[in-house]
Amino acid sequence: VAHNVIDQLLIVQDRDRTLARLRREAQDVPARQKMIEAQADRERKELLVAQEQVKKKLSAAKQVELEVGAHQERIAKLRMQQTQVKTNEEYRALEKEIKTAQDEIRKLEDGELEVMEEIEALRQIIAGRESDLKKRESEIKVQLIDMHQRLAALQKEIEETQTQRAGLVKDVAPDWLGRYERVFQHNGEFGVVPVENGACGGCHMKLPAQVVHDAKKTGRMVLCNFCGAILFWKP
Ligand SMILES: [Zn+2]
């Protein structure tokens, strides 16, 4: 049990700092959860885009096959016509048409080959991303469970610290406690501070000599002229 009011307030201040830290940490948890989930969402979307690209390329390849088929039918018809022509001239004209259609087919098939290679490359990328995503998703599950537990632990710690604090402040003189609490609530870090090299240990402003002198005497409440914190002398 602390003997004087300064020692009592220092212990309260220690609990208040712990509470502030725990509350900040607890507040950060939902934001971190959201960040992790947003990252997974982005990865899922990227995967969908790649899958969409494969679909488009597959339908382009299908279209090419249809065109090749049409040319092949045309060649078959031209060959039939060749068996029925009467002159060499007509035969050569048909041969020329057949040659043109064959060139078309070759061009189309070259293009199709390229598309199929692109599809293969995309499929490999997709397979890699899918397995990455699977891993990430199970990691995320674990992380979220951890965070959930961390949050529960923080809340428990906050409650325990609050209970401790409530027990401590019962014994503190109300005027001292009131002053301390006002300052701490205002700056979130301190309400009772030592004099340090003639300056306030909280706001670090140089104190008047009289204030330093007063702070050396115990039993009197001496305040920083600048931040209002309760000052004490640490020999
Ligand atoms: Zn100050």
Side-chain angles (χ1 to χ4, degrees):
V1 176
H3 297 294
N4 68 52
V5 69
I6 294 292
D7 288 340
Q8 288 176 322
L9 285 177
L10 284 171
I11 298 170
V12 172
Q13 180 167 263
D14 179 66
R15 296 300 179 279
D16 281 342
R17 284 175 174 165
T18 301
L19 275 172
R21 178 177 56 76
L22 293 171
R23 285 186 183 127
R24 269 197 304 275
E25 228 185 293
Q27 275 172 358
D28 283 349
V29 171
R32 274 165 54 212
Q33 283 175 338
K34 260 188 211 150
M35 235 172 59
I36 288 170
E37 277 162 359
Q39 175 64 26
D41 270 350
R42 269 198 298 279
E43 286 170 24
R44 265 179 229 121
K45 269 181 203 143
E46 278 174 16
L47 188 58
L48 277 179
V49 168
Q51 283 165 339
E52 225 22 71
Q53 278 177 320
V54 167
K55 266 190 216 159
K56 269 188 206 154
K57 283 186 193 294
L58 279 174
S59 90
K62 184 125 201 160
Q63 191 56 42
V64 169
E65 270 165 35
L66 288 175
E67 283 174 42
V68 168
H71 284 298
Q72 277 164 344
E73 266 174 49
R74 189 166 143 67
I75 289 170
K77 267 185 208 151
L78 292 167
R79 292 248 184 258
M80 275 294 285
Q81 285 175 35
Q82 270 184 329
T83 64
Q84 290 154 7
V85 294
K86 308 260 178 339
T87 68
N88 278 343
E89 221 166 88
E90 279 175 299
Y91 187 88
R92 273 197 298 274
L94 288 170
E95 194 59 37
K96 205 178 162 192
E97 273 190 66
I98 289 169
K99 173 93 174 48
T100 307
Q102 282 170 337
D103 286 346
E104 269 317 304
I105 289 174
R106 209 167 303 122
K107 254 189 264 168
L108 286 168
E109 281 175 344
D110 284 351
E112 195 187 6
L113 204 66
E114 252 173 61
V115 171
M116 293 316 284
E117 277 166 8
E118 285 166 12
I119 288 171
E120 186 47 39
L122 271 172
R123 278 185 171 150
Q124 277 177 17
I125 291 169
I126 288 171
R129 281 189 188 162
E130 274 172 345
S131 92
D132 284 352
L133 193 61
K134 227 181 206 170
K135 256 185 265 164
R136 289 269 305 139
E137 277 174 340
S138 67
E139 278 170 16
I140 285 170
K141 223 181 239 173
V142 172
Q143 279 178 318
L144 290 178
I145 290 169
D146 280 353
M147 278 189 192
H148 192 75
Q149 287 170 345
R150 177 78 191 124
L151 194 59
L154 281 169
Q155 271 151 0
K156 191 160 172 271
E157 224 181 319
I158 287 170
E159 276 166 32
E160 282 168 4
T161 311
Q162 277 171 332
T163 307
Q164 276 180 19
R165 188 192 187 278
L168 289 164
V169 296
K170 274 192 301 200
D171 302 327
V172 183
D175 50 338
W176 290 71
L177 182 65
R179 158 58 58 170
Y180 158 81
E181 282 180 338
R182 271 197 300 284
V183 178
F184 191 96
Q185 271 162 24
H186 184 68
N187 66 46
E189 284 169 33
F190 58 86
V192 56
V193 288
V195 176
E196 283 173 350
N197 303 316
C200 166
C203 70
H204 305 296
M205 294 291 281
K206 192 88 185 145
L207 295 163
Q210 184 60 46
V211 172
V212 176
H213 177 79
D214 289 346
K216 285 180 185 173
K217 293 184 231 160
T218 50
R220 261 191 69 189
M221 197 196 291
V222 183
L223 305 176
C224 169
N225 311 51
F226 306 98
C227 68
I230 299 170
L231 297 167
F232 65 95
W233 183 257
K234 211 164 65 180

